[in-house]
Amino acid sequence: MSMKVILVDDERLVRESTAQWFTICGFEVSSYSDPLKALAELSEDFDGAIVSDVLMPQIDGLEFMQRVHQKSADIPVILLTGHGDVDMATRAMKLGAYDFIEKPYLPERLSERLSRACDKHRLLRENNKLHQHLASLQGIEATLIGISAPMQRLRAQIMRLANLDTSIVIYGETGTGKELVAQCLHEYSERQKNNFVPINCSAIPENLIESELFGHEAGAFSGANQRRIGKFEYADGGTLFLDEIETMPMFVQVKILRALQDELIERLGSNKQHKVKLRVVAASKEALRDHASFRQDLYYRLNVSEIHIPPLRERVEDAPLLFDHYQRIVTADHNLSPRVLSSEDISALLQYSWPGNVRELKNIAVRFTLDNEQNIADLLQGGSQQGGEALDKTANGEALSVNTQNTAQPLAEQVANFEAQLIKNALARHNGSIKELMQELDLPRRTINEKMARYAINRGDYVSKS
Ligand SMILES: Nc1ncnc2c1ncn2[C@@H]1O[C@H](COP(=O)(O)OP(=O)(O)OP(=O)(O)O)[C@@H](O)[C@H]1O
Ligand SMILES: [Mg+2]
C-alpha cells in the first residue's frame, strides 16, 4: 500500500532533493513549486499527507494549509519552518498543522513524521467510513451489528424465521447476543404488537418457577395473597423468551411441554384453563440434544428451528464496527467526542480472543471512551468483566492472545495479520472448503492460494476430522 505525499516548495533544489528522498522511502510523491497549483489539483478524497514550505511567493504555508483544510479538514499538513521561528511554529499548530519541522532538518526525521501523518489520515478515513456505514444502517442491520458473513447470514435467517410460528432454540456462548436475537425475532414479526416476555430460568428459585410461568390464584400457597398472572399469559399473542433453558428443573419441563402442546395453561390453585397462543424462543449455552437433564420430548418440541450465534473470535472482523457503535452511543450519552483508534488499538481488538464476546467488547468500548489515558491493550490487560482471561481457543484449537505489549507493529504487518486471520476464520467456518472461501471472500482461487502460501495457512488444518 503506497502512501501519497504532496510536496510544496518554491526552491527547486530543496524540492527535488526532498522529493527524491521521499521516493526512496517508498512514498508516492507529487511536487509543486506553486501552492496555488497544488490546491487546484488537490482532490477532497486525497488520502495522503502534505509537506509544505512556509515562505513562498504566491501564498504562505499557513494560508495554503487553511485552504487545504477547507477542502478536507482531515488532510495532515506538515510545515517546514525557519530555524528558531517559535512564533511561526506556535501559530502553525494553532491553525491546525499536523506538525512543523525546523529547517535544516534530518531527512529521516521528516520521513518518519510523514509516515505517521499518512497513517493517521488513513485511520481517520477508515473511522469516518465506519461512521458513515453505521449511520446508513437501518432496521435489523442497525440493531444486530456486524459485517461478517456469519452475521449477514444470521440476520437473513432471523428475517426468514420471524413470522413463522415455530419454536426456536438459540445457541451461543455468553455475551454473543442471544437475547438480542430473540428480541429481533419478536420485533420483526406480527407479534411485536404484543409482549416480548423474557424469563431467566436459572434466576428463579425452584419453588417459585411454576407460579412465575403460569401464575396463581390468591391463596394458592402460603404467601400468595393476590392473584398473579404468569409469564405465559403475559406473552399471549407475543413471544416468550426462555433464557438458559438448560437450567430448567425437570418437573417444570413437563409442564411447559404440556402447556405448549395444548396451548392451555392453568394458574396454580385454579382449575380453570386459559387459552394462550404464543411463540417460544429459548436460549441455551449447551447442546440440548441428548442432554442428561433435559427432556428430549421438550427438546423436540422446542428445537424446531435452531439459530447458532458464533463467538466473536470467529468473526473478529466485526469488532471494529461494534466498537464504533458503542463509542457512538457513549459519546452521545455523555456529550463527548469519540476517540480515534490508533492502529495499535485496532490490532489489539483484532487479536484478542473475546471470551466474554460482545458484552465484553461493549465494556471495553465504554471504558476506552470515558478514559482518555488508556489504550485498548491496557484495558484488555487490566481485565474486562471476564477477569482478564487473556487466552482462549478458536474453533480450530488455535490459541489467540492479547497483544498486551504495546509494540508499534508496522502498518503493513498489521494489515497482513488481519488478512491472515480473516482467511483462517473463514476456512474454519467452511471446514476448509476453498470453493466456499472464494465465494465468501469474493476472491479468485489464485489470489487465495497466493495469500495462503504467504501466510503459511494449511487448508488441511481446517477440514473437520469427524
Ligand atoms: N451483533 C450485535 N450488535 C449489537 N449489539 C450486540 C450484538 N450482539 C450482542 N450485542 C450486545 O451485547 C450485549 C450482550 O448480548 P446478550 O445479552 O443478548 O447476550 P447473551 O447471549 O444473551 O448473553 P448471556 O448468555 O450471558 O445471557 C447486549 O448489550 C447486546 O445488546
Ligand atoms: Mg442472555
Side-chain angles (χ1 to χ4, degrees), residues 106-277:
L106 282 175
E108 288 82 5
R109 202 170 123 91
L110 178 57
S111 55
E112 195 228 83
R113 301 280 186 96
L114 180 58
S115 120
R116 285 191 173 276
C118 287
D119 246 13
K120 187 188 166 198
H121 190 197
R122 194 191 49 82
L123 285 167
L124 258 178
R125 287 170 60 89
E126 272 172 19
N127 209 53
N128 288 344
K129 245 192 261 167
L130 274 184
H131 276 313
Q132 281 165 9
H133 179 67
L134 273 173
S136 71
L137 295 177
Q138 285 182 337
I140 192 170
E141 294 210 310
T143 315
L144 202 59
I145 309 272
I147 46 165
S148 64
M151 283 310 282
Q152 293 178 25
R153 279 197 298 271
L154 177 63
R155 286 191 295 260
Q157 188 186 16
I158 292 171
M159 297 312 277
R160 272 198 315 275
L161 292 176
N163 258 323
L164 306 181
D165 278 324
T166 55
S167 305
I168 298 178
V169 184
I170 305 170
Y171 297 95
E173 290 178 11
T174 185
T176 45
K178 296 185 292 296
E179 180 145 6
L180 189 59
V181 166
Q183 281 166 352
C184 286
L185 283 165
H186 178 75
E187 211 49 49
Y188 293 97
S189 76
E190 285 289 309
R191 290 179 201 85
Q192 55 94 5
K193 294 180 295 223
N194 298 306
N195 295 331
F196 174 80
V197 182
I199 174 165
N200 187 327
C201 307
S202 75
I204 302 165
E206 218 168 277
N207 58 334
L208 293 182
I209 201 157
E210 261 191 280
S211 107
E212 273 294 309
L213 287 172
F214 305 114
H216 60 246
E217 296 294 336
F221 49 89
S222 69
N225 302 323
Q226 288 173 4
R227 163 197 283 181
R228 190 150 183 261
I229 303 284
K231 304 282 188 193
F232 264 80
E233 275 183 83
Y234 271 126
D236 193 13
T239 307
L240 180 67
F241 176 52
L242 298 172
D243 200 1
E244 303 197 43
I245 186 127
E246 73 275 22
T247 65
M248 182 75 79
M250 287 278 213
F251 78 94
V252 190
Q253 292 175 25
V254 193
K255 306 206 165 170
I256 291 180
L257 179 62
R258 242 196 37 217
L260 293 178
Q261 271 167 349
D262 304 345
E263 296 188 330
L264 288 173
I265 59 116
E266 224 166 78
R267 296 181 197 141
L268 293 187
S270 148
N271 40 29
K272 215 176 129 216
Q273 295 194 315
H274 298 264
K275 181 105 187 138
V276 283
K277 217 172 147 38

Side-chain angles (χ1 to χ4, degrees), residues 1 24 34 62 66 150 167 173 176 218 247 279 295 299 362 366 394 413 418 420:
M1 212 187 321
I24 292 169
D34 179 353
L62 293 182
Q66 286 171 291
S167 305
E173 290 178 11
T176 45
T247 65
R279 173 185 238 179
R295 292 183 59 105
Y299 165 76
K362 183 175 174 178
V366 172
T394 59
E413 209 170 292
F418 180 42

Side-chain angles (χ1 to χ4, degrees), residues 242-358:
L242 298 172
D243 200 1
E244 303 197 43
I245 186 127
E246 73 275 22
T247 65
M248 182 75 79
M250 287 278 213
F251 78 94
V252 190
Q253 292 175 25
V254 193
K255 306 206 165 170
I256 291 180
L257 179 62
R258 242 196 37 217
L260 293 178
Q261 271 167 349
D262 304 345
E263 296 188 330
L264 288 173
I265 59 116
E266 224 166 78
R267 296 181 197 141
L268 293 187
S270 148
N271 40 29
K272 215 176 129 216
Q273 295 194 315
H274 298 264
K275 181 105 187 138
V276 283
K277 217 172 147 38
L278 48 77
R279 173 185 238 179
V280 176
V281 176
S284 174
K285 292 194 182 74
E286 295 164 25
L288 296 177
R289 190 173 174 177
D290 300 329
H291 193 292
S293 53
F294 202 80
R295 292 183 59 105
Q296 293 301 290
D297 47 7
L298 180 58
Y299 165 76
Y300 286 109
R301 177 64 185 70
L302 290 180
N303 204 101
V304 181
S305 303
E306 299 184 2
I307 290 180
H308 292 265
I309 313 180
L312 188 55
R313 65 181 168 279
E314 287 172 22
R315 49 181 170 100
V316 77
E317 59 270 39
D318 290 335
L321 192 65
L322 281 162
F323 198 90
D324 207 55
H325 169 68
Y326 288 118
Q327 261 217 316
R328 271 165 65 106
I329 295 176
V330 178
T331 49
D333 282 355
H334 293 81
N335 222 342
L336 295 166
S337 46
R339 286 177 68 187
V340 174
L341 274 67
S342 69
S343 46
E344 289 83 27
D345 285 328
I346 293 180
S347 94
L349 283 186
L350 297 175
Q351 284 177 330
Y352 186 55
S353 61
W354 301 112
N357 293 294
V358 184

